[in-house]
């Protein structure tokens, strides 16, 4: 599958390159005919090209490391200088700054190409380096914008060339399948990054109701969508402001956004408005709100795109205390940053660098030729991107540095304190535990102030309301203003009193009607008693029909056998029917019904099933079987078991009718072991998360009765599991030190039950959907209390003591993993039961002898079994795995199995 994915992606990339090259973007004129080692001059294009596919990885001098910088030089007018200066510091191993990186005589060779902020520019720039530079490519620093990084990383990932971005934040780049070689020094634009920081900031002030206004650029729409998916509180109002083709804000759309805020209804309005827009759009929106005197005490909360940005010289429209707050990537201020800045300033003074520095306060070029501070946008992370990449390369032996996969592995393990703070990466390549600075604009015409920091998920850490100036309220406040407005009490109107009186009269009338109904029911009971007498007389007729029913039963067994054969050919479960329906009801005359019944009542003795459905979803079962085969291929025991899962407010039909995943991470919530899909051993635990069926919205399940709930009995591939203490920050299981692979499942105990947590789709199948109620058994909903009662009344087995039929053996379908490291011989008698110790030894000895003769030796062995393991003598056939009771007159036969678990 991965090879197919790469072939398709290369074909798409090649078609893009051919289209772009038609405009001459790949044409190059070589300044001379000298090309690097392993390359040659193409006389048609006058460009250096690789001799073969290995020239970019293997045919170059191991004492040199080649790194490319890809970023837009217009947006990063300071980028080339800081990039080159950082490389020069790393190449000098006697200056006290990371002297241990590549200090084995290796030289870093670097070049910078303008990637713009556009995939159409970034891809040709990258490709030009690959085909014309005449040097290998050990890694790429860039791009700045997510669109360019997405395009370049797709290509680089196919050749295992690491790409380390200083600022690309699109959540799409966290996909380790499509972007396997991508890393970044910022968090993603979702709950683990900027969106999580925004939500945590709001929650730190105790706010749970906000309005949201965003512009209609792709970036801001995606950010607003991620915010809506992460925010768990109320949203009073949401509106998207339109941007004109010339890039300016449409005033009418801004007015619509402000008019939609429910300022006249304090019951649903919010003082907090989250503004998601770029700075060139955010400021006109804020100015328009001020001009209209819109809700003056509004707390405007900003995303990184406008927070901390320069407003320009015209700020007269602002209130005296704007009180704007927002989050930006963490602005470090420790000794590491100051050490680098001092080195850079000394270098600029010594070389008379004239790179302009933009002052946020004045908006004009500073006269000083040195940076007074590092540029606020991505300069720190650019430095640390270079350090992280070269540190990873340095950790490898020179002969391994051409292996991109090893560089990627080393990058994923990189951990150091850099100019931007602590640096390490998540398994997805994102910056681990990213921090965000909280900025506040306290006074009109002044600069933004750093008032604290926020880490996604760490509520109340690093920020204090006392340090913030709030609009219309002022500074030095002990608490943040409330997000809600006070609601005045409502007076009862005359018509309301009239309605209450009318309702009271209706209640009295209904009570009288209920009494009359009760009397009618008593008369009905008398009639039912007479009817029951007639039914007793009908039993005589039923006896005469017994022979005919047995013939029908034999036909049904033959039908079941044929269905089983068909299911085996289709590799579907043998318990499935050929109805073609996704949801098939299981009746009390089926052992599956009583298997589920027994599992439910293990921890809920007062629970009764009113309905049981078997889920027959071919697509989900195929996906589940794929995961089972995958475990087999890597020699991991399936450890399959039946477990409970409640869907809370989610209709179970969304899961059992799905044609792709079934149980989905997209619907999972945060739990004691992080965000994952939770399953429980005890039905009593999942009962707390069970679904309450609706009477009106069900299409493929009958209407429910009062008090009924629903939950799944699912099959789960536990695989290799690890027991962990609670850790709400878990995103994936840890790595097993023995195998080097991640554990498949995390397990723990909570609420009196063992639970299992998986962090991927496809490893659980919704085997059965159970509708149940608790309390006293209702014969109308649960007509049979035991299996024997059901079998004798529905299958018409004789209950006469003299001619009482022997019921068929009970075969449980509940999957229970065998004890690990144990070989157990078992026979089937209303479930699998183990032989005694003496019989175990005899069977295993005979079995090993039998297989040692290539299955040609003696394959029968006699053992003792039954009650106390010595009631009867059995002969076990090791070729057919069937035991026969040689002492009993009926010579009863039972299935035998050798249960092993590695």
């Amino acid at each position: 599958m991965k090879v197919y994915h790469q072939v398709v992606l290369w074909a798409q990339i090649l078609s893009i390159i051919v289209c772009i090259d038609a405009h001459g973007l790949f044409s190059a004129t070589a300044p001379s005919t000298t090309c690097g080692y392993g390359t040659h001059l193409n006389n048609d294009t006058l460009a250096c090209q690789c001799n073969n596919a290995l020239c970019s990885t293997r045919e170059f001098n191991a004492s040199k490391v080649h790194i490319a910088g890809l970023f837009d030089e217009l947006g990063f007018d300071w980028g080339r200088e800081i990039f080159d200066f950082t490389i020069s510091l790393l190449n000098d191993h006697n200056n006290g700054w990371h002297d241990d990186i590549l200090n084995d005589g290796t030289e870093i060779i670097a070049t910078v190409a303008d990637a713009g902020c556009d995939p159409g520019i970034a891809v040709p720039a990258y490709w030009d380096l690959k085909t014309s530079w005449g040097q290998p490519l050990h890694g790429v620093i860039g791009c700045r914008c997510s669109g360019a990084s997405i395009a370049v990383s797709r290509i680089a990932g196919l050749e295992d060339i690491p790409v380390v971005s200083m600022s690309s934040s699109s959540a799409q780049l966290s996909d380790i399948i499509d972007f396997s070689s991508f890393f970044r020094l910022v968090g993603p634009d979702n709950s683990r990054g900027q969106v999580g920081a925004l939500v945590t900031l709001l929650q730190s002030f105790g706010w749970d109701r906000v309005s949201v206004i965003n512009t209609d650029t792709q970036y801001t729409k995606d950010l607003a969508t991620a915010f809506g998916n992460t925010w768990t509180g109320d949203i009073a109002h949401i509106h998207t402001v339109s941007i004109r083709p010339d890039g300016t804000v449409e005033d009418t759309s801004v007015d619509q956004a402000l008019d939609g805020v429910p300022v006249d209804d304090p019951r649903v309005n919010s003082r907090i408005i989250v503004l998601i827009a770029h700075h060139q759009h955010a400021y006109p929106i804020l100015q328009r709100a001020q001009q209209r005197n819109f809700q003056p005490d509004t707390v405007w909360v900003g995303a990184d795109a406008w927070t901390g940005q320069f407003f320009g010289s015209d700020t007269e429209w602002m209130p005296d205390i704007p009180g704007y707050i927002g989050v930006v990537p963490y602005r470090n201020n420790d000794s590491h940053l100051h050490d680098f800045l001092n080195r850079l300033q000394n270098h600029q003074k010594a070389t008379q660098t004239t790179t302009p520095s933009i002052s946020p306060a004045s908006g004009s070029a500073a006269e000083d030729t040195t940076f007074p501070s590092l540029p606020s946008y991505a300069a720190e992370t650019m430095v640390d991107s270079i350090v992280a990449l070269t540190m990873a390369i340095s950790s490898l032996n020179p002969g391994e540095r051409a292996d991109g996969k090893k560089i990627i592995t080393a990058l994923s393990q990189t951990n150091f304190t850099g100019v931007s703070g602590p640096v390490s990466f998540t398994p997805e390549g994102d910056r681990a535990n990213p921090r965000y600075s909280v900025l506040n604009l306290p006074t009109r015409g002044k600069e933004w102030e750093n008032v604290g920091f926020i880490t996604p998920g760490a509520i109340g850490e690093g920020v204090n309301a006392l340090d913030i100036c709030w609009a219309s309220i002022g500074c030095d406040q002990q608490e943040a203003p409330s997000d809600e407005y006070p609601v005045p009490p409502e007076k009862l109107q005359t018509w309301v009193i009239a309605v209450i009186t009318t309702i009271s009269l209706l209640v009295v009338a209904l009570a009288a009607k209920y009494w009359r109904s009760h009397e009618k029911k008593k008369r009905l009971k008398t009639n039912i008693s007479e009817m029951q007498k007639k039914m007793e007389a009908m039993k005589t007729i039923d006896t005469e029909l017994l022979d005919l029913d047995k013939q029908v039963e034999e036909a049904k067994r033959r039908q079941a056998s044929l269905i089983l054969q068909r299911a085996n050919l289709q590799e579907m479960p043998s318990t499935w029917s050929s109805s073609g329906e996704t949801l098939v009801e299981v009746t009390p005359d089926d052992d599956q019904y009583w298997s589920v019944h027994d599992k439910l009542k293990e921890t809920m003795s007062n629970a009764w099933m009113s309905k049981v459905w078997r889920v027959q979803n071919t697509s989900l079962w195929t996906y589940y079987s794929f995961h089972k085969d995958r475990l087999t291929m890597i020699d991991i025991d399936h450890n399959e078991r039946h477990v409970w899962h409640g869907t809370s407010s989610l209709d179970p039909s969304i899961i059992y009718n799905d044609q792709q995943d079934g149980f989905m991470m997209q619907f999972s919530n945060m739990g004691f072991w992080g965000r994952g899909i939770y399953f429980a051993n005890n039905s009593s635990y999942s009962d707390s998360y069970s679904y309450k069926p609706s009477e009106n919205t069900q299409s493929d399940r009958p209407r429910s009765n009062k008090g009924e709930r629903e939950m799944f009995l699912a099959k789960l591939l536990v695989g290799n599991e690890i027991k962990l203490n609670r850790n709400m920050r878990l995103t994936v299981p840890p790595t097993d030190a023995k195998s080097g692979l991640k554990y498949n499942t995390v397990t723990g105990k909570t609420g009196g039950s063992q639970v299992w947590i998986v962090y991927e789709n496809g490893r659980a199948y919704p085997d059965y959907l159970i509708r149940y109620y608790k309390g006293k058994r209702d014969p109308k909903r649960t007509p049979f209390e035991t299996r024997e009662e059901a079998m004798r009344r529905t299958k018409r087995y004789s209950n006469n003591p003299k001619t009482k039929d022997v019921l068929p053996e009970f075969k449980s379908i509940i999957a229970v993993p065998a004890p690990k490291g144990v070989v157990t011989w078992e026979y089937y008698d209303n479930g699998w039961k183990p032989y005694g110790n003496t019989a175990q030894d005899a069977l295993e000895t005979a079995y090993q002898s039998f297989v040692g003769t290539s299955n040609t030796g003696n394959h029968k062995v006699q053992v003792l079994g039954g009650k106390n393991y010595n009631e009867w003598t059995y002969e076990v056939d090791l070729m057919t795995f069937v035991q026969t009771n040689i002492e009993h007159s009926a010579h009863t036969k039972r299935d035998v199995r050798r249960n092993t678990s590695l």
Side-chain angles (χ1 to χ4, degrees):
M1 181 63 70
K2 182 175 180 182
V3 172
Y4 172 76
H5 178 74
Q6 290 181 345
V7 170
V8 172
L9 185 54
W10 269 116
Q12 294 173 343
I13 292 168
L14 187 57
S15 65
I16 293 172
I17 292 171
V18 170
C19 292
I20 296 175
D21 195 37
H23 296 84
L25 292 177
F26 282 102
S27 62
T29 301
S32 68
T33 57
T34 302
C35 292
Y37 177 71
T39 66
H40 66 277
L41 182 68
N42 186 315
N43 293 325
D44 294 328
T45 63
L46 298 180
C48 294
Q49 294 183 339
C50 294
N51 292 339
N52 53 54
L54 300 177
C55 79
S56 64
T57 57
R58 301 246 195 299
E59 293 190 2
F60 291 89
N61 190 339
S63 66
K64 296 184 185 298
V65 167
H66 301 274
I67 296 175
L70 286 176
F71 45 83
D72 53 316
E73 296 191 78
L74 179 62
F76 274 10
D77 56 347
W78 43 264
R80 180 182 291 270
E81 180 177 359
I82 291 183
F83 181 90
D84 291 342
F85 178 66
T86 304
I87 296 295
S88 67
L89 285 180
L90 292 172
N91 275 330
D92 183 352
H93 301 289
N94 298 302
N95 57 16
W97 196 80
H98 293 294
D99 289 344
D100 57 334
I101 293 180
L102 296 171
N103 63 348
D104 54 2
T106 301
E107 180 185 3
I108 304 172
I109 306 298
T111 188
V112 173
D114 188 355
C117 212
D118 182 352
I121 299 176
V123 170
Y126 171 81
W127 199 260
D128 187 57
L129 288 173
K130 286 292 297 174
T131 58
S132 302
W133 187 19
Q135 301 293 343
L137 200 53
H138 292 83
V140 174
I141 302 299
C143 302
R144 175 172 76 94
C145 300
S146 295
S149 289
I150 288 172
V152 170
S153 297
R154 283 187 185 276
I155 306 174
L158 296 176
E159 298 182 306
D160 297 318
I161 296 177
V163 177
V164 187
S165 173
M166 70 290 291
S167 58
S168 294
S169 57
S170 170
Q172 183 180 351
L173 287 163
S174 296
D175 188 331
I176 59 175
I177 301 299
D178 287 344
F179 307 102
S180 58
S181 68
F182 180 78
F183 296 81
R184 54 181 159 192
L185 269 291
V186 293
D189 287 334
N190 56 22
S191 60
R192 301 195 306 272
Q194 180 182 179
V195 172
L198 272 174
V199 170
T200 303
L201 176 66
L202 299 172
Q203 293 174 338
S204 295
F205 295 134
W207 299 333
D208 59 7
R209 183 191 297 168
V210 301
S211 292
V212 179
I213 296 177
N214 64 278
T215 55
D216 64 355
T217 67
Q218 190 60 51
Y219 171 77
T220 53
K221 287 192 295 185
D222 290 346
L223 204 61
T225 300
F227 178 85
N229 292 336
T230 306
W231 176 247
T232 58
D234 296 330
I235 295 181
H237 171 65
I238 186 168
H239 187 88
T240 299
V241 174
S242 300
I243 306 299
R244 298 188 183 97
D246 64 358
T248 60
V249 173
E250 190 174 278
D251 294 338
T252 303
S253 184
V254 176
D255 289 337
Q256 291 174 348
L258 299 177
D259 291 340
V261 178
V263 294
D264 296 329
D265 189 352
R267 294 170 301 174
V268 297
N269 191 26
S270 174
R271 181 179 281 107
I272 316 303
I273 297 182
V274 178
L275 178 57
I276 302 176
H278 290 89
H279 70 280
Q280 67 269 30
H281 303 141
Y283 301 155
I285 294 174
L286 295 171
Q287 184 174 5
R288 184 67 174 167
Q290 180 65 17
Q291 291 170 348
R292 292 184 44 172
N293 196 30
F294 168 80
Q295 197 167 277
D297 59 349
T298 296
V299 178
W300 293 91
V301 181
D304 171 37
W306 70 271
T307 300
Q309 299 293 323
F310 177 54
F311 276 90
S313 57
D314 180 16
T315 58
E316 291 301 318
W317 57 268
M318 282 188 186
D320 293 336
I321 303 178
Y324 308 144
I325 60 173
V327 298
V328 297
Y330 184 62
R331 295 186 175 179
N332 193 25
N333 195 33
D334 64 9
S335 59
H336 295 82
L337 179 137
H338 290 291
D339 175 57
F340 180 84
L341 179 59
N342 289 337
R343 293 172 184 271
L344 177 61
Q345 290 172 338
N346 291 335
H347 168 74
Q348 290 177 324
K349 292 175 183 178
T351 58
Q352 296 298 310
T353 301
T354 58
T355 301
S357 172
I358 301 302
S359 168
S362 65
S364 60
E367 295 180 358
D368 191 357
T369 60
T370 61
F371 287 132
S373 62
L374 286 182
S376 61
Y377 184 58
E380 302 166 20
T381 50
M382 173 184 279
V383 174
D384 286 344
S385 297
I386 299 171
V387 173
L389 176 59
T390 55
M391 184 177 289
I393 296 173
S394 179
S395 68
L396 303 174
N397 294 325
E400 299 176 318
R401 292 171 184 168
D403 190 333
K405 290 184 178 179
K406 291 187 177 180
I407 299 177
I408 293 169
T409 300
L411 255 174
S412 67
Q413 300 168 354
T414 300
N415 191 331
F416 66 96
T417 300
V419 175
S420 63
V423 176
S424 60
F425 299 101
T426 68
E428 296 81 12
D430 302 326
R431 186 167 189 159
N433 303 314
R435 278 186 175 182
Y436 292 80
S437 291
V438 180
L439 304 187
N440 174 229
L441 189 65
T443 308
R444 176 178 60 198
K446 300 296 183 180
E447 294 185 12
W448 291 80
E449 293 185 1
N450 192 331
V451 293
F453 66 87
I454 281 289
T455 302
I459 298 175
E461 174 187 287
V463 65
N464 192 329
L466 189 63
D467 300 324
I468 298 173
C469 292
W470 306 97
S472 298
I473 298 177
C475 309
D476 302 322
Q477 302 296 313
Q478 293 292 334
E479 296 182 352
S482 173
D483 55 329
E484 301 177 5
Y485 290 96
V487 179
E490 295 184 4
K491 295 182 179 180
L492 290 178
Q493 300 181 12
T494 304
W495 68 269
V496 176
I497 298 175
V499 169
I500 294 175
T501 303
T502 303
I503 292 175
S504 300
L505 293 174
L506 287 174
V507 170
V508 172
L510 289 173
K513 183 178 181 181
Y514 172 78
W515 180 82
R516 289 193 298 270
S517 175
H518 180 71
E519 291 298 313
K520 185 178 181 180
K521 288 181 179 179
K522 289 175 62 177
R523 293 193 296 271
L524 285 174
K525 285 185 178 179
T526 302
N527 295 335
I528 292 173
S529 177
E530 294 296 327
M531 187 180 295
Q532 287 176 339
K533 292 179 181 179
K534 294 180 180 179
M535 291 179 66
E536 290 295 329
M538 293 173 64
K539 289 184 178 180
T540 304
I541 301 175
D542 291 340
T543 303
E544 297 176 5
L545 296 172
L546 181 62
D547 291 339
L548 180 61
D549 287 341
K550 288 183 177 180
Q551 295 176 20
V552 173
E553 186 63 24
E554 180 61 30
K556 288 183 177 179
R557 281 196 290 268
R558 175 58 179 165
Q559 180 187 40
S561 176
L562 293 174
I563 291 174
L564 177 61
Q565 294 177 32
R566 186 171 183 267
N568 287 336
L569 292 175
Q570 294 180 340
E571 298 182 353
M572 294 294 117
S574 60
T575 55
W576 285 17
S577 67
S578 59
S579 67
E581 300 292 331
T582 299
L583 212 58
V584 179
E585 183 173 355
V586 181
T587 56
D589 61 354
D590 194 321
D591 281 353
Q592 297 175 64
Y593 180 97
W594 295 102
S595 299
V596 177
H597 167 275
D598 294 347
K599 181 69 175 174
L600 177 70
K601 295 180 78 69
E602 281 181 358
T603 55
M604 280 204 301
S605 58
N606 65 336
W608 299 95
M609 299 190 306
S610 56
K611 291 285 183 182
V612 180
W613 294 279
R614 181 176 60 248
V615 179
Q616 298 186 177
N617 187 318
T618 303
S619 298
L620 294 186
W621 180 258
T622 302
Y623 192 32
Y624 178 78
S625 300
F626 163 76
H627 281 275
K628 182 180 288 189
D629 294 341
R630 184 167 64 91
L631 291 177
T632 302
M633 291 175 63
I634 58 178
D635 199 25
I636 293 180
D637 179 28
H638 298 161
N639 198 3
E640 186 178 46
R641 61 179 70 235
H642 271 102
V643 289
W644 296 101
H645 180 84
T647 63
S648 296
S649 60
L650 184 70
D651 192 320
S653 64
I654 295 176
I655 293 176
Y656 65 69
N657 282 328
D658 186 53
Q659 296 299 308
Q660 182 172 336
D661 299 300
F663 294 107
M664 287 177 276
M665 283 291 295
Q666 293 90 325
F667 295 129
S668 64
N669 293 318
M670 185 66 68
F672 287 137
W673 286 270
R675 188 181 297 277
I677 308 175
Y678 285 66
F679 299 92
N681 182 65
N682 294 357
S683 58
S684 58
Y685 177 86
S686 295
D687 174 57
S688 302
Y689 302 93
S690 59
Y691 175 74
K692 182 179 179 181
S694 169
E695 296 183 359
N696 302 317
T697 60
Q698 301 167 50
S699 58
D700 54 354
R701 306 196 299 281
R703 177 174 296 180
S704 63
N705 293 305
K706 184 178 180 181
E708 290 185 329
R709 313 287 294 188
E710 292 178 348
M711 61 182 173
F712 283 112
L713 181 61
K715 271 190 174 182
L716 174 65
L717 294 171
V718 176
N720 190 12
E721 61 184 318
I722 181 173
K723 184 176 182 181
L724 296 177
N725 294 326
R726 295 176 180 179
N727 181 359
M728 296 184 69
R729 295 189 177 185
L730 271 180
T731 56
V732 292
T735 300
D736 185 351
K738 294 182 179 179
S739 67
L741 302 174
K742 287 186 176 65
Y743 286 95
N744 304 112
T745 308
V746 171
T747 186
K749 192 169 185 181
T750 181
S753 173
Q754 185 175 4
V755 295
W756 292 269
I757 307 95
V758 296
Y759 301 87
E760 61 178 330
N761 299 345
R763 282 206 288 112
Y765 177 78
D767 212 3
Y768 295 91
L769 177 65
I770 297 90
R771 179 178 290 175
Y772 65 98
Y773 60 94
K774 292 189 286 188
K776 185 177 180 181
R777 181 174 70 90
D778 179 1
K780 292 182 179 180
R781 291 185 282 177
T782 312
F784 308 112
E785 186 173 3
T786 65
R787 174 180 180 266
E788 181 175 359
E789 179 186 0
M791 298 296 284
R792 295 201 183 280
R793 290 180 59 184
T794 61
K795 297 284 189 176
R796 308 194 186 283
Y797 292 96
S798 173
N799 201 27
N800 188 315
K802 295 182 179 180
T803 62
K804 191 171 184 178
D805 293 336
V806 177
L807 294 180
E809 298 176 3
F810 174 63
K811 295 187 177 182
S812 176
I813 53 84
I814 301 300
V816 179
K820 293 187 178 297
V822 176
V823 176
T824 306
W825 285 87
E826 300 170 324
Y827 62 94
Y828 197 93
D829 182 8
N830 289 333
W832 290 103
K833 299 179 181 179
Y835 288 89
N837 293 336
T838 303
Q840 292 279 351
D841 295 341
L843 286 168
E844 184 63 16
T845 300
Y847 175 81
Q848 294 297 336
S849 176
F850 176 58
V851 298
T853 61
S854 300
N855 299 348
T856 60
N858 182 26
H859 56 87
K860 295 184 178 181
V861 59
Q862 292 186 1
V863 296
L864 293 176
K867 294 182 179 178
N868 301 320
Y869 303 111
N870 59 5
E871 182 182 12
W872 303 99
T873 300
Y874 298 95
E875 183 180 81
V876 178
D877 190 332
L878 299 177
M879 182 176 292
T880 62
F881 277 74
V882 173
Q883 78 167 18
T884 303
N885 189 330
I886 61 178
E887 293 183 344
H888 195 279
S889 59
H891 296 297
T892 308
K893 296 182 181 293
R894 300 188 188 279
D895 291 334
V896 175
R897 73 177 182 183
R898 181 176 181 265
N899 193 358
T900 63
S901 180
L902 299 179

